[in-house]
Amino acid sequence: MSRSVAVVTLGCTRNEVDSEELAGRLAAEGWTLVDDAAEADVAVVNTCGFVEQAKKDSIDALLEANDLKRTGRTQKVVAVGCMAERYGEQLAAELPEADAVLGFDSYTDMSGHLRRILAGERPASHTPRDRRTLLPLAPAARHTSGSSVSLPGHQQASAVAPEPVTPLAQVAPASGPRVVRARLDGRPWAPLKLASGCDRRCAFCAIPMFRGAFVSRPPQDVLAEARWLAERGVREVFLVSENTTSYGKDLGDLRLVDALIGELAAVEGIDRVRVSYLQPAEIRPDLLDAMARTPGVAPYFDISFQHASGPLLRRMRRFGDREGFLGLLEQVRSRVPEAGIRTNVIVGFPGETEEDLAELTAFLEAARLDVVGVFGYSDEDGTEAEGYEDKLDEATVRARVERVSALVEELTAQRAEDRVGTTVEVLVEALDEDDGRLVGRAGQQGPDVDGVTYLQAADGSVPDVRVGALVMARVVATEGVDLVAVPVQEVAA
């Protein structure tokens, strides 16, 4: 009997890829995918476990899904994703409303798990472990001895799940490597996973513990999925990972990504390739050259600075300082003068002094960044920094976050104003229901968190441009970090 399932996604674009892979596996095995959890037999909540607020949002989503058991069709609620992987049994004990808490190793046979749960079984909750220990220390050995380690979003074959019973076009391409993915939205862009895990040991970050060691996807798999996405109307692929600058090191070639972005940009139907998650200590001039010279690569640089004080960065187990970072930005802009550059920074890290904070604000004032995410430090379970002394009290951290956020708001608004009079390439994504304006993103704007571009005709009316179109537009005004632009030419597909 056909069963229905809704996949609810929280967190980052990497989680979105994992959700669409889960949806593809379930569709291939006969499940009906529905958008509304209230209309589904099972609600699968793909949780985020990155920071405290994300954990709270995940728990709220699970509780909301559980409420549907009384008001909707929903019979069971299952927690998966990073929070489920990270906390497992603890999450299950503290949140009995979830009918199951499943880790990454359950993904390849998710259909079997859900059917048994619907039949009344309550599987043992996931037992967390440090996933860095599951693969060899040497990156080059991971692809030969890590085949049994679950890597969500890597299109791994299932050893236990049956062959697909439903030959859906959304599940498998006509030829080439099999793609198991189902689009859960109609956006003209899609995240595309390059790799999973991370080998860095930043003192504040728990991601490597629950995502594991760094593993690159083979280029042929990435290209196959890009072709599959293009066949379904995707014009921009957003390359995601925990650390894109490490791509290829476990495949024997750190310059592999330089060639791969060119091959992706050449895929028929893909008009824009966006690269994300660049570590400043690992950025090579060759990579900057490839991003600058390859037609179709967005003028977008997502660089994870985290701070600008050299001594504090060492305490974070990172590298760099204000002078070095400004030099890197100069390298970027000498190649791509119109580049859009975003970063994240952590304020209030243990031991942060007023001098350290002054280094950060001086960097931000000089850097001319388009977007800056400002996060207040909080302890993360199992991290090195959790055991540090010299912790700042919550009031001090909050005050510093407010201070830096106010500065960032002013600086990024000024940076947006610098783009007035320039021409940008905009992917049209939606019609804003509130004010009737077309909304898209310029090449300098990443999805979800980097601001948008509103399109209007020269007379202020809604331009005759369809959603999914790629247009050249002249920036005429700004609204904070958002741009307002007039289309001047549509870019042929």
Side-chain angles (χ1 to χ4, degrees):
M1 183 173 61
S2 176
R3 294 290 194 176
S4 59
V5 60
V7 182
V8 180
T9 308
L10 292 97
C12 65
T13 47
R14 291 161 295 195
N15 250 17
E16 291 183 21
V17 175
D18 298 350
S19 285
E20 293 200 345
E21 184 188 64
L22 277 176
R25 290 182 185 278
L26 293 168
E29 294 180 36
W31 289 77
T32 299
L33 304 177
V34 297
D35 295 330
D36 187 354
E39 301 299 323
D41 295 311
V42 184
V44 176
V45 180
N46 189 356
T47 61
C48 178
F50 180 41
V51 293
E52 197 61 35
Q53 186 57 52
K55 298 173 197 172
K56 292 177 181 176
D57 292 344
S58 294
I59 290 173
D60 288 344
L62 288 164
L63 292 174
E64 288 172 10
N66 184 68
D67 288 341
L68 297 176
K69 293 178 185 177
R70 295 189 300 272
T71 61
R73 174 176 173 170
T74 310
Q75 301 176 45
K76 302 292 181 180
V77 175
V78 177
V80 300
C82 292
M83 191 174 181
E85 175 65 38
R86 185 176 180 185
Y87 293 104
E89 297 161 320
Q90 178 186 344
L91 176 62
E94 296 180 2
L95 197 71
E97 291 85 353
D99 296 286
V101 176
L102 303 178
F104 295 150
D105 295 331
S106 303
Y107 281 27
T108 53
D109 187 28
M110 187 57 66
S111 175
H113 288 295
L114 298 189
R115 291 187 184 279
R116 288 188 288 274
I117 292 165
L118 272 176
E121 295 183 26
R122 191 175 182 96
S125 299
H126 168 65
T127 302
R129 52 184 169 172
D130 189 337
R131 295 190 73 85
R132 292 173 295 189
T133 64
L134 302 183
L135 288 168
L137 188 62
R142 292 172 188 165
H143 284 268
T144 57
S145 53
S147 58
S148 63
V149 176
S150 180
L151 300 169
H154 281 233
Q155 301 287 321
Q156 291 171 301
S158 172
V160 292
E163 284 299 305
V165 297
T166 307
L168 298 177
Q170 291 89 345
V171 174
S175 62
R178 183 167 176 248
V179 175
V180 183
R181 181 170 176 173
R183 295 304 313 282
L184 295 176
D185 57 60
R187 300 176 306 196
W189 69 275
L192 177 57
K193 187 169 282 193
L194 283 182
S196 288
C198 186
D199 287 341
R200 301 188 71 85
R201 294 295 179 263
C202 302
F204 52 82
C205 184
I207 288 176
M209 286 186 286
F210 58 85
R211 277 291 183 178
F214 184 88
V215 180
S216 303
R217 291 184 68 192
Q220 64 269 23
D221 290 0
V222 177
L223 287 165
E225 194 166 339
R227 296 187 191 100
W228 183 90
L229 290 167
E231 290 168 3
R232 284 148 186 83
V234 170
R235 298 192 72 175
E236 175 185 312
V237 289
F238 182 42
L239 306 184
V240 298
S241 68
E242 271 76 31
N243 180 4
T244 298
T245 36
S246 280
Y247 182 80
K249 72 175 186 179
D250 51 327
L251 299 174
D253 185 359
L254 260 176
R255 290 177 171 78
L256 205 55
V257 71
D258 305 11
L260 179 59
I261 58 176
E263 293 182 74
L264 288 167
V267 170
E268 184 177 356
I270 299 298
D271 294 292
R272 195 155 75 186
V273 176
R274 186 178 301 278
V275 183
S276 67
Y277 300 103
L278 304 176
Q279 288 289 342
E282 299 180 36
I283 294 177
R284 298 171 285 103
D286 290 352
L287 174 58
L288 296 180
D289 289 340
M291 292 177 66
R293 296 172 182 172
T294 304
V297 174
Y300 177 79
F301 296 81
D302 175 13
I303 305 176
S304 178
F305 289 121
Q306 302 299 350
H307 212 279
S309 165
L312 193 71
L313 283 164
R314 305 300 177 274
R315 190 171 169 84
M316 289 179 169
R317 303 298 183 208
R318 295 180 65 84
F319 303 93
D321 54 30
R322 173 164 58 113
E323 183 179 353
F325 291 164
L326 290 175
L328 175 58
L329 294 178
E330 181 58 36
Q331 290 184 54
V332 171
R333 291 187 172 116
S334 68
R335 292 167 170 84
V336 187
E338 75 280 13
I341 304 172
R342 84 169 321 276
T343 196
N344 293 318
V345 297
I346 296 174
V347 177
F349 189 78
E352 182 187 60
T353 64
E354 283 292 343
E355 290 75 16
D356 293 325
L357 193 64
E359 277 291 289
L360 174 60
T361 55
F363 167 71
L364 294 173
E365 289 167 351
R368 296 171 54 241
L369 300 171
D370 293 80
V371 180
V372 181
V374 182
F375 295 89
Y377 172 82
S378 62
D379 284 336
E380 284 296 316
D381 298 333
T383 59
E384 180 182 349
E386 185 184 22
Y388 281 4
E389 298 179 353
D390 302 326
K391 299 270 179 70
L392 279 65
D393 62 78
E394 290 185 14
T396 299
V397 174
R398 186 166 54 252
R400 291 186 179 185
V401 168
E402 292 173 356
R403 178 171 149 196
V404 174
S405 296
L407 173 64
V408 161
E409 184 176 356
E410 178 183 349
L411 293 173
T412 53
Q414 291 174 358
R415 179 63 180 143
E417 290 174 1
D418 292 342
R419 298 198 183 278
V420 173
T422 66
T423 300
V424 294
E425 181 187 73
V426 180
L427 179 64
V428 184
E429 296 186 355
L431 178 66
D432 190 315
E433 298 290 344
D434 294 329
D435 59 12
R437 292 191 295 182
L438 283 173
V439 184
R441 284 180 299 107
Q444 293 86 350
Q445 296 169 317
D448 297 333
V449 293
D450 286 3
V452 298
T453 298
Y454 294 104
L455 292 175
Q456 63 182 37
D459 62 1
S461 63
V462 178
D464 184 19
V465 180
R466 62 183 174 81
V467 171
L470 198 66
V471 301
M472 302 304 295
R474 187 179 71 258
V475 180
V476 296
T478 64
E479 298 177 6
V481 298
D482 298 330
L483 306 178
V484 180
V486 175
V488 295
Q489 179 185 0
E490 182 166 350
V491 179

